[in-house]
Amino acid sequence: AQAAAQRAGEDLARSERESALARDAARALEEAMERLGKEAGDKDGTLGRLQQEVQRLTRKGEKDDGELQRLATELGSKTSALSSLDGLGARSKEVLSVIKRLQAASDAMEPA
């Protein structure tokens, strides 16, 4: 009976140690889960900020693309206008040359 009581006491002590270890492990697991939850929250916040930045940059890129398209169109129009002006300039020189020749001929025909 004494041996059975001793074994029961040893079993109780072992159970208490195992229970304390299980409580410590549960506490450590709970703390780890809290840290993971906090890190996940931080990462979610960071991810949210990154998604907002991507959206902002996308909108800016679309706006910049629209602005670039507008500027390209404007450049095309101005290039076309300059080409027309170049053509007018060449024709103006031709007309001016003809006028000078006509004036020279007219001057030559006038009696002195």
Side-chain angles (χ1 to χ4, degrees):
Q2 194 176 17
Q6 186 177 359
R7 276 195 306 268
E10 290 171 358
D11 288 344
L12 179 61
R14 188 174 350 98
S15 292
E16 286 175 351
R17 284 192 307 273
E18 289 173 357
S19 177
L21 288 174
R23 280 192 306 272
D24 289 345
R27 202 172 315 119
L29 181 58
E30 186 178 334
E31 290 171 359
M33 293 297 287
E34 286 176 10
R35 279 193 311 276
L36 286 174
K38 183 181 181 307
E39 288 176 12
D42 291 347
K43 287 187 185 344
D44 284 345
T46 300
L47 179 60
R49 285 191 299 280
L50 288 173
Q51 287 173 332
Q52 289 174 350
E53 184 66 11
V54 166
Q55 289 171 351
R56 184 187 71 77
L57 291 173
T58 300
R59 285 190 304 270
K60 184 179 184 313
E62 289 168 355
K63 181 180 175 187
D64 289 348
D65 287 347
E67 182 67 11
L68 287 173
Q69 184 63 37
R70 186 191 67 74
L71 289 173
T73 301
E74 184 178 333
L75 178 61
S77 297
K78 291 190 181 209
T79 301
S80 176
L82 284 174
S83 294
S84 295
L85 287 176
D86 284 345
L88 286 175
R91 284 188 294 254
S92 296
K93 287 179 184 177
E94 290 173 14
V95 170
L96 186 58
S97 174
V98 170
I99 291 173
K100 285 182 180 178
R101 282 184 288 176
L102 286 173
Q103 283 178 339
S106 173
D107 290 344
M109 291 163 85
E110 286 183 12

